[in-house]
């Protein structure tokens, strides 16, 4: 079965990022496909590689990157939500004259249409948020 | 050639405007999603009914007033805005407190018709059950 | 249809809203802070028990354990699933709705 997930809260404040990751991992390990994980609202904060939690805490961002690496997950950060919250890739940094970018490995920035497409293409679309 | 997939999308709005970002970013999804030619409708329940309150004026808070954007929904073929009557009533509101949102019906010589449809809890429950994709904002 | 709820019923009305719009035969999964709704002797116990008469209510085990809730404290008839069970519930139901 083909799933799509939407994550709409930032890591560390709400549990939704953790639940979404656990769900994604369980689904992939059961042999299901994940068409896309779309990050919206404060969920875009899942996609910054500048995250540096204490050593004894889980690294939510790296966990996504590793899952993407292992399973070829498509992790998409909403561009409009990301721009408002300072999540930026090299192209966006150039366009907005910023002095650096922070997008984490395995993530890409794209439009809201990616969420709608995920709803159309996937058999099930699940939301994790607040 | 296979027919393009048309799914029934319903965006359920349960949050008041301004206090959090969910309602405005949810509206953005509805507007962007219209370009995909899916069967789209919106539902307003709980505090979501406050999104449609008329006379919103944000000038003193400095937040962008996004309520005029609801008027654009009709032009994007989002013509069904279901409002749960019980949620309105629980908040001491009637339909008169809501913005007058309309669309032009292309099947009826572009007659202007109201987009807001007051429905009962029971009717809304049935409508939700008919959808393919349901997103909450 | 599968409904997921992730809010404490003592803080938000997500449980109440879900239950008033869900139909008989639907599945309801309590996750995150909503797992408190599955415990007995609370002001929402009656509401949940009434829902269980025609709907299937289950709770996410890892979220129970995280919050120190023993299975013995759950309302009778509530199923416990792990993340794989959560996945199975979404496969079994043709659509999912998240009450946030």
């Amino acid at each position: 079965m083909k799933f799509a997930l939407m994550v709409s809260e930032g890591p560390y404040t709400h549990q939704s990022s953790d639940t979404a990751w656990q769900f994604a991992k369980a689904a992939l390990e059961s042999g299901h496909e994940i068409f896309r994980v779309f990050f919206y609202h404060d969920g875009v904060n899942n996609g910054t590689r500048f995250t540096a939690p204490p050593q004894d805490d889980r690294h939510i961002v790296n966990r996504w990157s590793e899952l993407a690496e292992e399973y070829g997950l498509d992790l998409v950060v909403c561009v409009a939500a990301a721009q408002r919250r300072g999540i930026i890739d090299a192209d966006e940094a150039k366009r907005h004259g910023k002095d650096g970018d922070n997008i984490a490995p395995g993530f890409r920035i794209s439009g809201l249409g990616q969420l709608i497409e995920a709803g159309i293409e996937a058999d099930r679309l699940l939301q994790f948020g607040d | 050639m296979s027919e393009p997939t048309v799914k029934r999308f319903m965006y359920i709005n349960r949050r008041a405007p301004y206090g959090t970002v969910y309602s405005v970013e949810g509206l953005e999804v509805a507007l962007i999603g219209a370009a995909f030619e899916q069967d789209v409708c919106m539902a307003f329940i709980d505090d979501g009914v406050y999104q449609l309150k008329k006379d919103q004026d944000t000038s003193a808070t400095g937040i962008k007033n996004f309520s005029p954007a609801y008027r654009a929904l009709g032009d994007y073929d989002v013509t069904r805005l279901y409002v749960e009557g019980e949620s309105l009533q629980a908040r001491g509101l009637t339909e008169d407190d809501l913005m007058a949102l309309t669309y032009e019906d292309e099947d009826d010589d572009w007659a202007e018709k109201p987009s807001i449809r007051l429905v009962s809890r029971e009717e809304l429950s049935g409508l939700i059950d008919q959808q393919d994709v349901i997103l909450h904002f | 249809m599968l409904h997921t709820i992730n809010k404490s019923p003592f803080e938000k009305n997500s449980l109440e809203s879900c239950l008033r719009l869900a139909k008989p035969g639907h599945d309801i999964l309590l996750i995150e802070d909503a797992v408190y709704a599955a415990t007995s002797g609370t002001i929402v116990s009656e509401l949940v028990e009434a829902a269980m008469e025609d709907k299937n209510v289950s709770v996410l085990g890892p979220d129970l354990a995280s919050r120190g809730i023993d299975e013995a404290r759950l309302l009778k008839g509530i199923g416990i699933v792990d993340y794989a069970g959560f996945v199975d519930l979404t496969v079994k139901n043709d659509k999912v709705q998240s009450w946030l």
Side-chain angles (χ1 to χ4, degrees):
Chain A
M1 180 153 286
K2 209 191 293 183
F3 288 104
L5 312 184
M6 172 178 159
V7 180
S8 50
E9 289 303 328
Y12 302 107
T13 302
H14 290 275
Q15 198 189 344
S16 47
S17 300
D18 292 278
T19 308
W21 183 83
Q22 294 284 2
F23 181 92
K25 185 167 168 282
L28 292 164
E29 284 172 354
S30 305
H32 297 295
E33 184 190 334
I34 295 198
F35 176 77
R36 178 168 297 147
V37 184
F38 188 83
F39 297 88
Y40 198 39
H41 304 316
D42 279 359
V44 299
N45 291 309
N46 279 270
T48 166
R49 67 168 190 275
F50 286 178
T51 303
Q55 291 236 319
D56 62 351
D57 197 357
R58 76 261 189 244
H59 197 307
I60 295 178
V61 178
N62 286 0
R63 239 173 23 178
W64 282 119
S65 295
E66 285 155 18
L67 206 62
E69 170 85 27
E70 190 178 349
Y71 290 97
L73 267 190
D74 188 21
L75 306 177
V76 178
V77 172
C78 170
V79 61
Q83 284 174 345
R84 288 193 181 112
R85 295 165 178 85
I87 307 298
I88 205 161
D89 63 12
D91 285 348
E92 292 286 316
K94 197 182 269 182
R95 187 171 312 136
H96 296 282
K98 300 294 179 188
D99 59 5
D101 67 83
N102 59 353
I103 192 88
F107 286 81
R108 65 188 180 92
I109 294 180
S110 189
L112 258 184
Q114 300 275 305
L115 171 65
I116 311 296
E117 189 196 32
I120 296 169
E121 294 298 324
D123 300 309
R124 307 280 186 274
L125 172 58
L126 278 89
Q127 270 182 295
F128 297 90
D130 186 46
Chain B
M1 237 178 79
S2 64
E3 290 284 310
T5 314
V6 175
K7 283 190 174 179
R8 283 160 297 191
F9 278 68
M10 180 185 263
Y11 304 113
I12 299 186
N13 296 274
R14 290 184 53 228
R15 306 293 179 98
Y18 308 114
T20 55
V21 78
Y22 305 108
S23 53
V24 60
E25 289 194 341
L27 181 61
E28 282 175 18
V29 173
L31 291 169
I32 296 279
F36 286 74
E37 303 196 334
Q38 302 293 302
D39 181 2
V40 176
C41 67
M42 299 173 83
F44 296 84
I45 66 172
D46 297 338
D47 282 353
V49 300
Y50 287 128
Q51 292 178 31
L52 301 176
K53 176 76 180 62
K54 62 184 173 193
D55 301 331
Q56 293 175 34
D57 176 3
T58 61
S59 53
T61 52
I63 303 173
K64 185 178 169 186
N65 182 352
F66 64 93
S67 65
Y70 288 96
R71 296 183 201 286
L73 286 167
D75 300 332
Y76 285 81
D77 281 336
V78 182
T79 61
R80 287 169 296 140
L81 276 55
Y82 300 108
V83 175
E84 189 198 33
E86 287 86 341
S87 291
L88 268 187
Q89 203 186 1
R91 287 158 183 77
L93 299 174
T94 68
E95 207 174 345
D96 291 340
D97 293 304
L98 307 182
M99 294 185 275
L101 301 176
T102 57
Y103 72 101
E104 292 177 343
D105 189 350
E106 59 179 318
D107 298 325
D108 190 10
D109 198 25
W110 306 100
E112 199 171 78
K113 296 185 176 178
S115 301
I116 291 179
R117 296 149 199 235
L118 212 60
V119 291
S120 69
R121 175 169 303 175
E122 194 63 31
E123 287 169 312
L124 184 61
S125 174
L127 287 162
I128 294 172
D129 218 35
Q130 294 165 14
Q131 307 302 315
D132 297 310
V133 180
I134 303 155
L135 288 173
H136 282 237
F137 290 105
Chain C
M1 172 134 41
L2 170 68
H3 302 263
T4 67
I5 307 169
N6 74 341
K7 289 291 169 311
S8 162
F10 313 114
E11 188 198 5
K12 295 267 174 71
N13 71 346
S14 308
L15 172 79
E16 208 185 301
S17 295
C18 170
L19 294 184
R20 75 168 193 253
L21 288 163
K23 284 188 164 301
H26 284 182
D27 285 339
I28 294 166
L29 175 64
L30 306 169
I31 67 172
E32 300 174 6
D33 287 350
V35 299
Y36 296 118
T39 56
S40 59
T42 77
I43 54 167
V44 298
S45 294
E46 263 180 51
L47 182 70
V48 176
E49 280 171 333
M52 286 164 66
E53 285 173 18
D54 59 5
K55 299 171 194 76
N56 310 303
V57 180
S58 45
V59 64
L60 194 59
D63 284 335
L64 277 183
S66 294
R67 289 161 178 78
I69 302 169
D70 193 272
E71 286 181 28
R73 296 290 293 269
L74 298 187
L75 294 166
K76 282 202 181 14
I78 289 197
I80 303 176
V81 299
D82 57 9
Y83 290 107
F86 183 179
V87 173
D88 291 342
L89 275 172
T90 59
V91 171
K92 182 192 143 199
N93 286 279
D94 62 347
K95 45 206 165 196
V96 191
Q97 212 185 144
S98 309
W99 295 86
L100 305 171

